[in-house]
Amino acid sequence: MSADGFTPPPGARPDWTIDQDWAAYTPTEHQVWMTLYERQSRLLPGRACDAFLHGLDALDLHRGGIPDFARINEELDRLTGWSVVAVPGLVPDEVFFEHLANRRFPAGQFIRKPEQLDYLQEPDIFHDVFGHVPMLTDPTFADYMQAYGAGGLKAMNRGQLHNLARLYWYTVEFGLLETPDGLRIYGAGIVSSHAESIFALDDPSPNRLGFDLERVMRTPYRIDDFQQVYFVVPSLQALLDATLQDFGALYDRLARSGDIPIAAVAPGDQVFTRGTQAYAAR
């Protein structure tokens, strides 16, 4: 998502973008993409939401190994006006939000090593492109991401970026969607992870709670393991609607209220699953 520091690294432009240099990928790197893609594409039907699966088909992300941004941007621009831009890794918050507000998604252009298939601390091209970009083909979610970018710039000015970061974490990265066929995953951190694609829906350990904007922004998150709580949106339109408001009054309330412990089920929560928290206890 973002990083500290304001000076682009050598070779990066002032907006932190770089050339993808697709021709430089090695056969081994293309094979890592194909291995990850084939494993996830077999697992996700019946788990990922329709918008993600439709986006995966629309962008044809398995053709020729690692996707060429120039090629997928043609289809992405036609569908929602978004594009993917290559960056050298995590970028400063202000840069990240500026890209999103202008319908550009910053994606790392490196890919993990064959021995890192199941875990990588820093997001790579598989997480960023396979995980995030299919949802950007959905007009409603595409509008949500742009609205989030615009909101991020405002949150920085108010000093409440930590609250807004929680919204991104529990929706864009680790969100669940309620559907007539049951809960489905749409968050990039889940759909790009074989293990968490199973854990998020099937394991009895985490809480699965109904999405409430203020509740989410009061809830810390963990970056080092499976989530202890997932928030379920009733629809992508409801997610967008919740964020198309002036957050000023909300930030004022958040400044006066404390965090809700990550594993808690609070009064008023809509409970889909009251988790055992057994995994976290281990």
Side-chain angles (χ1 to χ4, degrees), residues 4 56 62-63 69 75 77 94 104 113 149 153 158 170 184 201 209 216 237 243 246 266 276-277 282:
D4 296 328
L56 206 58
H62 68 287
R63 182 176 67 183
F69 291 178
E75 185 66 12
D77 179 67
E94 186 172 1
R104 298 185 299 265
K113 304 295 183 184
L153 296 172
R158 291 184 59 106
Y170 282 121
R184 296 292 184 265
L201 293 181
L209 307 176
V216 167
Q237 186 63 52
T243 57
D246 183 355
T276 65
Q277 298 298 320
R282 292 198 299 268

Side-chain angles (χ1 to χ4, degrees), residues 180-200:
D181 298 318
L183 301 186
R184 296 292 184 265
I185 57 182
Y186 70 91
I190 311 177
V191 297
S192 63
S193 165
H194 187 270
E196 194 143 6
S197 294
I198 298 170
F199 181 89

Side-chain angles (χ1 to χ4, degrees), residues 33 37 51-63 67-69 71-80 82 84 129-130 132-138:
W33 175 278
Y37 181 96
F52 179 87
L53 295 174
H54 292 160
L56 206 58
D57 288 341
L59 297 175
D60 193 18
L61 294 181
H62 68 287
R63 182 176 67 183
D68 184 340
F69 291 178
R71 181 181 65 79
I72 63 174
N73 281 345
E74 293 179 4
E75 185 66 12
L76 194 56
D77 179 67
R78 184 185 70 80
L79 290 169
T80 59
W82 274 77
V84 183
V129 175
F130 181 94
H132 283 283
V133 176
M135 289 299 295
L136 293 175
T137 67
D138 181 85

